[in-house]
Amino acid sequence: MVVGDGLAGWKDGSPYDRIVAYCGTVTIPYEWVEQTLPGGVILATVGGWMYSSELARLTVTGDGTAAGRLLDGRNSFMLARPQTPPPIGLLPDLDQADDQPTELAAHVLEDWDTRFVAQLAAPRAQRMTLDRDGSTEHVLLDVEAGAWAVLRQDDSRWLVRQGGPYNVWDRIADHVTRWYRDGSPSLDRFDITVTPEGQTITWPR
């Protein structure tokens, strides 16, 4: 057994036929792929900053990529320190945008699978609630990008305000709605691929 150097692995002892990560990741480091023999296996937990995560089992191929499936089981580990979310800090002015109707309620993010799908669209968005003016507001904030969204319920309808360089909620709602339209396949049917260009997680359509 070799104890590696976190996300960088341990190049001097490679190549390995197995890498098992005892920490969570937002993205699986490509260094792990480079340090694994073709046909070798990487076992790691993947998720996002809304804290829905799953165990992934990838097989490294001869072309320098790795591909596999999520195992589904609501597995979680503490995130690797370099991939933990930044402090929230001072919130932006959450009243600088107008309310717009949205068909998707904030409550859908209470569901583990739905939240995982939402993270695929906005993996660096953090989620919290605020009580303001006698109502509960559901806040999504991408600190690094400066993008934010606030959702609140008004009688039977949901409203959203958004700001920053991209619309966090629009991106999430579009991704979750497409997953619904494809029959909401379970997470153990999701494919994960890691290449030099990055990580992708998709579901069958």
Side-chain angles (χ1 to χ4, degrees):
M1 178 177 177
V2 175
V3 177
D5 183 19
L7 299 182
W10 193 55
K11 184 177 180 180
D12 292 346
S14 65
Y16 307 105
D17 57 8
R18 295 288 187 275
I19 289 181
V20 179
Y22 289 93
C23 64
T25 62
V26 177
T27 55
I28 293 176
Y30 186 68
E31 286 86 348
W32 296 356
V33 178
E34 292 181 306
Q35 295 172 25
T36 305
L37 287 165
V41 172
I42 297 171
L43 197 65
T45 302
V46 293
W49 289 349
M50 284 188 264
Y51 295 105
S52 174
S53 57
E54 292 295 343
L55 197 61
R57 185 182 190 275
L58 301 96
T59 301
V60 175
T61 63
D63 63 0
T65 64
R69 284 274 179 93
L70 303 183
L71 300 185
D72 191 17
R74 302 192 174 187
N75 295 282
S76 63
F77 275 109
M78 183 181 295
L79 283 170
R81 195 168 300 165
Q83 293 191 8
T84 54
I88 295 295
L90 185 66
L91 289 174
D93 181 0
L94 301 178
D95 296 315
Q96 61 180 297
D98 295 328
D99 286 325
Q100 301 293 332
T102 175
E103 294 185 6
L104 202 64
H107 291 157
V108 301
L109 298 181
E110 298 296 329
D111 175 71
W112 183 277
D113 289 6
T114 307
R115 195 162 70 249
F116 188 92
V117 173
Q119 288 176 153
L120 299 181
R124 286 169 170 75
Q126 299 180 66
R127 173 174 165 254
M128 70 200 79
T129 58
L130 296 174
D131 291 321
R132 295 201 307 159
D133 301 324
S135 65
T136 299
E137 295 186 331
H138 301 260
V139 180
L140 295 163
L141 178 63
D142 183 335
V143 173
E144 294 177 340
W148 57 271
V150 178
L151 292 99
R152 66 181 181 89
Q153 190 169 10
D154 180 33
D155 293 327
S156 61
R157 64 175 184 162
W158 279 87
L159 302 173
V160 61
R161 302 188 303 276
Q162 302 181 83
Y166 73 94
N167 290 336
V168 179
W169 185 248
D170 287 352
R171 188 176 288 187
I172 287 173
D174 177 69
H175 212 61
V176 169
T177 299
R178 284 192 282 120
W179 176 61
Y180 286 161
R181 289 174 180 166
D182 290 333
S184 305
S186 60
L187 299 186
D188 60 356
R189 297 180 62 200
F190 281 42
D191 296 312
I192 178 170
T193 303
V194 179
T195 71
E197 288 72 40
Q199 171 183 290
T200 57
I201 300 177
T202 58
W203 63 82
R205 291 172 169 83

